[in-house]
Amino acid sequence: MKRRGVLIGLGALAAGGWLLRPDNRGAAHDRYFQQLNDTLKSAGPGRPLMLIDRQRLADNCRTLMSMIPSGCNFRIVAKSLPSVPLIQEVMTHTGSQRVMLFHQPFMNALADAEPGCDMLLGKPMPIQAARRFYQELGEAHRFDPSLQLQWLIDSLPRLEQYLALARELDQPMRINVEIDVGLHRGGLGDPSQLDALLALIHANPRHLQFSGFMGYDAHVGKLPGFIESAEEGHRHTERRYQSFIDRLYQQAPQYQTQSLCFNGAGSPTLALYDDSTVVNELSAGSCLVKASDFDLPSLDAFAPAVFIAAPVIKAMDGLNLPGPIPLGDAWQRWDPNRQRTYFIYGGYWKAQPVSPAGIQANGVYGVSTNQMMYNGSPETALTPDDQIFFRPTQSEFVMLQFGDLAVWEDQAIRQWWPPLPQGEGA
């Protein structure tokens, strides 16, 4: 009787486990991706590529500009859109010539291509990088850094470094001060720290000019709502920012009549700003191509506009894993989404498969940058030379890994846009 009870119990457990089998999530490419697939299969380069949907990019630009408060300017974040033609496309659709940069080779490339642009550094640049920028710019260049470039300074010692370089080059420098509005990643943490920087700037008017503040708020909305809501975090950030503006005007009232740059925001927090904001300039870039890390409620109005396409090299029925135990056979019987195996050209990017539906990496087989394994159900129905499409998790690094960017427009690849240069040794 006991043995019978055990057998019944094991049978019930097995039946219950079978009921917990994953659902079949597989499907063929939808119309959008099938069109991409057919074009790349017949006329693509036969290698992984990064694709930009030009129409979606334009639509995202219009969406962004509808969110910019009155009295605020928009600044394009170049690291999130790392291609000169891509930045120029965004300039066309937004009307902005303002760019935030984070890498010296990007600075020189953009100064060459868009000599009328206005640059703000998004991080304090090591002094050797600043020196190299001027060396590569040359004296006859149409871009005038004394009027069009703001170096970001986070401390008095760094400002002293920049003053020494300005004297050495006899080059006036505009100085934007990084302030800590709650992220705690550096910058001035207390408004009183501004006094020493202003004193040094005002003592050296030939070489230094104060141009404004930059306060990045990437922390807002990251805490659980019961600790602090995004709205509460944003109000705290605005109060912190205002305290630095108040200190500035207290110490140097003449700035109240000058046109200064009070920069803030980023794609995740852009929607929190309204006409009452204390800043006069908002930065964003990632929302315009919308990598998957930016699938946020505040960015629901934006559409994904960048994808990786990778050709399938090998397509097989079943799941055959190495080793003496038939783990793959048992796994694919239990999970219908493991019943087809695909090896792609390349892999292991910061990206997740998006089409066909139900495609997933195989963590047991392991990762590969050469031929990575993915599994799907029979409904995915891919054959060699078909494409698997991925959404990058971020744009700023991943978009630099594929060479020229394929521009998708009117059901065809119409252009190839080169990425920004990484520089020697990068």
Side-chain angles (χ1 to χ4, degrees):
M1 190 68 180
K2 289 183 178 178
R3 184 166 178 258
R4 182 183 178 190
V6 169
L7 291 174
I8 292 173
L10 289 174
L13 183 63
W18 195 254
L19 291 173
L20 295 175
R21 291 178 68 208
D23 292 332
N24 186 335
R25 300 186 297 274
H29 289 308
D30 64 18
R31 182 178 178 182
Y32 178 82
F33 286 108
Q34 189 63 51
Q35 202 162 45
L36 287 170
N37 180 79
D38 292 346
T39 299
L40 293 175
K41 190 173 182 177
S42 62
R47 58 169 173 80
L49 56 80
M50 181 69 72
L51 182 142
I52 296 173
D53 187 314
R54 195 171 190 174
Q55 185 58 57
R56 289 190 179 189
L57 175 67
D59 293 343
N60 286 343
C61 287
R62 284 189 286 273
T63 297
L64 182 146
M65 294 310 294
S66 72
M67 298 168 64
I68 301 296
S70 62
C72 278
N73 295 302
F74 167 59
R75 187 172 293 272
I76 304 163
V77 178
K79 69 179 175 63
S80 304
L81 307 164
S83 163
V84 166
L86 175 54
I87 293 170
Q88 290 171 326
E89 184 83 356
V90 172
M91 286 179 170
T92 297
H93 289 295
T94 63
S96 175
Q97 293 287 307
R98 300 169 184 244
V99 188
M100 179 178 282
L101 293 118
F102 296 76
H103 189 41
Q104 174 265 316
F106 289 12
M107 296 172 64
N108 286 97
L110 199 61
D112 288 339
E114 287 289 330
C117 72
D118 178 278
M119 294 187 190
L120 169 64
L121 270 295
K123 66 185 176 189
M125 199 65 65
I127 197 66
Q128 284 300 93
R131 184 190 306 276
R132 191 177 183 94
F133 168 78
Y134 288 108
Q135 290 171 343
E136 295 185 4
L137 188 67
E139 295 182 1
H141 205 280
R142 289 183 294 157
F143 179 84
D144 185 350
S146 66
L147 299 176
Q148 296 171 245
L149 172 61
Q150 301 177 66
W151 294 103
L152 192 67
I153 297 298
D154 61 332
S155 66
L156 183 60
R158 196 179 303 275
L159 181 60
E160 291 169 342
Q161 279 187 315
Y162 273 71
L163 174 58
L165 181 61
R167 287 170 171 167
E168 175 189 330
L169 302 178
D170 195 22
Q171 171 68 57
M173 292 184 177
R174 299 172 72 210
I175 301 300
N176 191 293
V177 175
E178 181 181 17
I179 58 176
D180 181 5
V181 294
L183 182 59
H184 304 327
R185 194 174 66 180
L188 303 192
D190 188 276
S192 64
Q193 294 175 306
L194 180 63
D195 300 359
L197 275 70
L198 290 176
L200 188 61
I201 291 170
H202 296 160
N204 295 275
R206 180 179 170 184
H207 293 110
L208 300 178
Q209 177 187 351
F210 177 79
S211 65
F213 294 128
M214 193 279 282
Y216 187 41
D217 62 355
H219 63 289
V220 172
K222 297 296 179 65
L223 291 173
F226 67 87
I227 296 177
E228 182 182 65
S229 69
E231 291 74 16
E232 290 169 335
H234 175 65
R235 287 194 293 271
H236 177 72
T237 293
E238 293 257 304
R239 288 194 296 270
R240 290 272 298 169
Y241 209 122
Q242 185 64 60
S243 69
F244 283 92
I245 296 174
D246 292 342
R247 185 76 177 193
L248 172 69
Y249 291 161
Q250 176 187 348
Q251 297 298 310
Q254 68 270 24
Y255 288 122
Q256 296 183 61
T257 60
Q258 295 185 22
S259 179
L260 299 176
C261 171
F262 295 148
N263 178 275
S267 289
T269 58
L270 185 72
L272 295 171
Y273 289 79
D274 58 29
D275 292 351
S276 67
T277 182
V278 303
V279 305
N280 58 22
E281 182 180 277
L282 301 178
S283 296
S286 293
C287 62
L288 297 178
V289 291
K290 200 177 183 184
S292 63
D293 280 353
F294 295 85
D295 286 343
L296 306 171
S298 62
L299 299 177
D300 280 347
F302 295 85
V306 62
F307 302 98
I308 297 167
V312 172
I313 297 176
K314 303 161 187 173
M316 310 170 186
D317 287 327
L319 174 58
N320 188 15
L321 295 175
I325 302 174
L327 174 62
D329 184 61
W331 195 1
Q332 62 95 14
R333 288 177 185 275
W334 185 71
D335 184 353
N337 302 289
R338 300 287 180 180
Q339 292 176 359
R340 287 280 287 169
T341 294
Y342 304 113
F343 288 92
I344 67 168
Y345 189 143
Y348 201 31
W349 304 292
K350 285 181 174 289
Q352 296 297 324
V354 66
S355 187
I359 291 286
Q360 53 195 323
N362 192 297
V364 173
Y365 193 86
V367 298
S368 171
T369 58
N370 176 41
Q371 297 182 63
M372 189 155 168
M373 176 195 279
Y374 286 88
N375 301 133
S377 77
E379 282 73 16
T380 55
L382 298 176
T383 59
D385 299 330
D386 281 325
Q387 310 285 312
I388 292 180
F389 295 94
F390 300 78
R391 284 185 65 197
T393 59
Q394 60 168 235
S395 58
E396 59 195 61
F397 171 70
V398 186
M399 289 181 75
L400 296 169
Q401 296 180 271
F402 297 85
D404 288 357
L405 310 175
V407 182
W408 178 256
E409 184 180 21
D410 296 331
Q411 290 75 55
I413 294 176
R414 302 294 181 182
Q415 297 184 46
W416 293 87
W417 290 346
L420 281 162
Q422 288 294 286
E424 296 177 8

